[in-house]
Amino acid sequence: MATFAVQISTKAQSLSTENGVITTPPEGYKKSYYMDLQTYDNVVGLMGDTHTETSVVFTENGEVYVPNMVYRKSVKGYLRGILNATGDTITFANRQVVGYAPNLKQPYYLEVIDLKGKRTGVSSFRWAIDKATQSIAPVDTSLYLALFVGDDDSGYFGMGANMTYRPKDSVDARLDSYNFSCVNISYDRTNDAISRQKAKGYFDGDTFYVKGLDLKYPQAWLKGTLRDDGVVQFLSRQLVHLSSNDDPVALIAISENAEGNTIYQAGFLLQYDAEKRELTAVDDQNWIANCSVDEEQLQVQQVYKAMQLTYNELHIAQPQNPVFGHYLKESKELKVTLLSKDTKEQALDTDFLFYKIYIDGELHTFTKADNPRMKSEEDIIEMPWTFSDYYTVSGRSEEKYITLNGISEQAKTISVELIYRIKGEVRVSDRLVYDIQEGTTSYITGLAAVIADKSPVEIHYYDLQGKRLFAPKTGMLIRQTRYNDGTICTERILR
């Protein structure tokens, strides 16, 4: 039987509620996912919402906490579910409070609706956990969840359907690198320019997922389907951005008629060359555009044409060691140079480059609590090399200025290591160690070899009371793995 591992990323705080809304889940273990769903807007219509990063919290008593997914930017409560004894089904009570409208003094309810948009009145709904892939999806594939204010039946504020949660680590391990180019069309259509940026993508059967096809919103994911004729078809109305008020920006295929009027198309096509692993726009007359909503009408914003994705073959490589700059204790600013080349002076793809900070040997977490202005919806442990928000990390080049909020005044050492991860393979630099009191630097060597060569040699299971289990049962267990280098990893899993 495959196990459903609850990877420890960061502990949540104690459960807190406000106006009946779960604003912070209780202590547990967070697992990161990419969430896919279909959502609805009165003007745009039904939109594909692909690979939004989110986290689910699992607690020791079998409770599961999932962030609200409908109007998620402004309605930020959590759904509470119960995991069954076999660890493969989560049951949620219907009509849970996920937000509060202070002007109306009414709660927001997330409820199951039928195809006519009416409340069903069912008592609960269930999601299934696939033990092989660890993905989570509704048992009822026709499940529709809608956001209502109080008992008002006149209409709902938003809707979500066909939701699927895929473990982020398993998706990231499949990513390929691409170079994306397109013609960026000016607003008045008179000053076209070729633009380029990096992109990531992967095939899951006949489904192609790609991030980086939108110059304005490079972190937005799009979803296409590979047809029998070798063409990848992307449907229009794919969500690329949500404002803080949940106003959507959707990517829509467009064309223009002889009079210069915009014609909205059902989708756009990219021809796939399987040998070269390249994708090229099929029709130069079909463009893609970011469309926002203004006064109940679609407004065309950025427009692109002649899209092309060129495959960029990657190889695992050893990153160079971090170089210390300074640490300013009063402002808690760490300056460090993180080179984007390997030890052979070859360029690394920075989309696959990360770094970790350690305080007195303990892994540091950039929390939202310590960094309220950090431009991330989640706490960050493994910081992307490309991340810069001018508050937590500034500098998009190799020189990073990192603010270590939350560090103790008594801290003695700060350490930094670089991580390069390609297709599940990992290489780690030597760890730079700065002694705050002495003002000296040193390196801990050999970490890369430990990670590269490590393999499990012995695995034992225990119950939560520490009793050894010779025949692992279902439910929450403790798994202890001993590796060939003598190190031991202990983790909680759901089986």
Side-chain angles (χ1 to χ4, degrees):
M1 179 184 294
T3 59
F4 176 71
V6 181
Q7 304 292 337
I8 301 173
S9 60
T10 183
K11 285 191 175 183
Q13 306 300 311
S14 299
L15 183 143
S16 61
T17 61
E18 184 177 343
N19 295 314
V21 183
I22 300 174
T23 56
T24 305
E27 183 175 306
Y29 298 97
K30 281 187 177 180
K31 185 172 178 66
S32 297
Y33 291 88
Y34 284 119
M35 176 185 68
D36 293 359
L37 76 158
Q38 286 185 303
T39 187
Y40 182 80
D41 178 82
N42 289 334
V43 177
V44 181
L46 198 62
M47 296 179 291
D49 187 355
T50 303
H51 280 19
T52 298
E53 293 187 31
T54 189
S55 295
V56 177
V57 176
F58 297 82
T59 66
E60 290 187 3
N61 64 357
E63 292 181 337
V64 182
Y65 292 83
V66 180
N68 169 53
M69 71 292 295
V70 180
Y71 267 59
R72 58 180 178 267
K73 291 286 189 175
S74 52
V75 182
K76 296 186 175 182
Y78 282 78
L79 289 172
R80 174 164 44 197
I82 301 296
L83 186 70
N84 67 348
T86 55
D88 58 9
T89 305
I90 307 169
T91 301
F92 297 90
N94 189 27
R95 192 177 161 84
Q96 292 196 40
V97 177
V98 293
Y100 187 77
N103 55 329
L104 300 174
K105 297 183 180 180
Q106 293 284 335
Y108 285 107
Y109 292 109
L110 194 66
E111 301 190 46
V112 179
I113 60 172
D114 59 24
L115 294 178
K116 296 181 180 180
K118 302 298 183 181
R119 290 177 164 108
T120 64
V122 299
S123 61
S124 63
F125 58 92
R126 296 181 300 151
W127 289 359
I129 299 173
D130 186 312
K131 292 292 188 69
T133 66
Q134 302 184 17
S135 295
I136 306 174
V139 173
D140 180 0
T141 57
S142 62
L143 177 70
Y144 290 82
L145 295 175
L147 195 68
F148 291 88
V149 177
D151 295 321
D152 185 358
D153 286 323
S154 61
Y156 52 80
F157 277 75
M159 182 272 293
N162 300 325
M163 56 281 297
T164 301
Y165 292 73
R166 294 177 173 86
K168 184 177 182 297
D169 52 2
S170 64
V171 170
D172 289 347
R174 304 175 64 181
L175 295 180
D176 289 314
S177 175
Y178 293 88
N179 296 317
F180 173 64
S181 65
C182 69
V183 174
N184 189 1
I185 304 175
S186 64
Y187 180 78
D188 58 6
R189 311 293 192 261
T190 62
N191 188 25
D192 299 351
I194 296 177
S195 299
R196 295 178 174 87
Q197 67 181 18
K198 290 191 296 184
K200 296 179 183 178
Y202 70 101
F203 278 94
D204 185 5
D206 291 335
T207 303
F208 181 58
Y209 296 93
V210 61
K211 177 174 72 170
L213 284 192
D214 193 315
L215 298 178
K216 175 66 174 179
Y217 304 106
Q219 297 304 309
W221 284 88
L222 300 176
K223 176 183 176 181
T225 303
L226 179 63
R227 304 187 319 201
D228 292 339
D229 60 358
V231 171
V232 177
Q233 180 178 21
F234 293 84
L235 296 178
S236 283
R237 290 171 170 78
Q238 299 203 41
L239 184 69
V240 294
H241 178 71
L242 274 178
S243 74
S244 58
N245 295 322
D246 286 287
D247 296 322
V249 177
L251 193 77
I252 301 177
I254 66 170
S255 61
E256 288 188 346
N257 60 18
E259 290 74 32
N261 297 319
T262 298
I263 308 298
Y264 295 105
Q265 303 290 344
F268 66 98
L269 307 175
L270 297 181
Q271 180 69 50
Y272 178 56
D273 185 324
E275 183 177 350
K276 295 182 179 179
R277 302 175 74 173
E278 294 181 356
L279 297 98
T280 306
V282 172
D283 186 354
D284 191 47
Q285 298 307 308
N286 272 337
W287 306 342
I288 57 175
N290 290 324
C291 299
S292 60
V293 177
D294 184 25
E295 296 183 353
E296 301 302 310
Q297 290 186 343
L298 283 175
Q299 298 292 327
V300 173
Q301 304 292 333
Q302 299 79 24
V303 181
Y304 317 118
K305 70 175 183 178
M307 295 79 68
Q308 183 176 36
L309 283 166
T310 304
Y311 179 68
N312 180 27
E313 187 171 2
L314 297 178
H315 302 281
I316 194 66
Q318 179 70 28
Q320 293 190 26
N321 295 337
V323 179
F324 179 77
H326 66 232
Y327 177 64
L328 307 179
K329 191 171 182 179
E330 184 175 343
S331 62
K332 300 180 180 179
E333 178 188 271
L334 172 68
K335 177 186 176 183
V336 63
T337 300
L338 304 176
L339 298 173
S340 56
K341 293 183 178 180
D342 66 14
T343 53
K344 297 180 180 180
E345 294 296 326
Q346 298 299 307
L348 300 175
D349 190 320
T350 54
D351 283 342
F352 298 84
L353 195 59
F354 306 85
Y355 59 94
K356 290 181 179 179
I357 305 290
Y358 296 82
I359 308 299
D360 293 335
E362 296 293 327
L363 188 59
H364 177 69
T365 299
F366 294 89
T367 66
K368 291 290 288 182
D370 290 332
N371 303 276
R373 301 175 75 182
M374 182 170 67
K375 292 184 178 179
S376 171
E377 294 296 324
E378 302 288 339
D379 297 345
I380 301 177
I381 292 179
E382 194 172 87
M383 183 67 74
W385 188 96
T386 56
F387 181 87
S388 176
D389 61 0
Y390 302 101
Y391 303 110
T392 313
V393 180
S394 61
R396 291 187 178 273
S397 65
E398 295 176 329
E399 284 190 349
K400 308 292 183 183
Y401 296 83
I402 306 164
T403 302
L404 299 175
N405 290 327
I407 185 174
S408 169
E409 293 293 333
Q410 287 72 46
K412 297 179 180 180
T413 63
I414 301 171
S415 306
V416 187
E417 66 186 13
L418 265 171
I419 302 151
Y420 195 52
R421 182 178 293 108
I422 301 293
K423 293 284 191 178
E425 290 190 74
V426 181
R427 295 294 184 271
V428 182
S429 71
D430 292 341
R431 187 180 298 174
L432 166 68
V433 181
Y434 172 67
D435 189 307
I436 299 174
Q437 295 178 342
E438 299 294 330
T440 58
T441 61
S442 60
Y443 289 91
I444 300 176
T445 62
L447 293 176
V450 168
I451 292 179
D453 298 336
K454 180 183 287 189
S455 60
V457 295
E458 191 175 54
I459 299 176
H460 296 300
Y461 294 90
Y462 302 85
D463 63 20
L464 294 182
Q465 286 70 47
K467 182 180 178 181
R468 173 82 177 273
L469 302 173
F470 294 95
K473 60 181 182 178
T474 58
M476 183 167 280
L477 308 174
I478 297 173
R479 179 171 63 192
Q480 189 177 81
T481 306
R482 184 170 66 84
Y483 293 91
N484 57 349
D485 64 352
T487 60
I488 296 175
C489 174
T490 302
E491 58 186 342
R492 298 174 189 272
I493 66 169
L494 292 175
R495 184 180 172 87

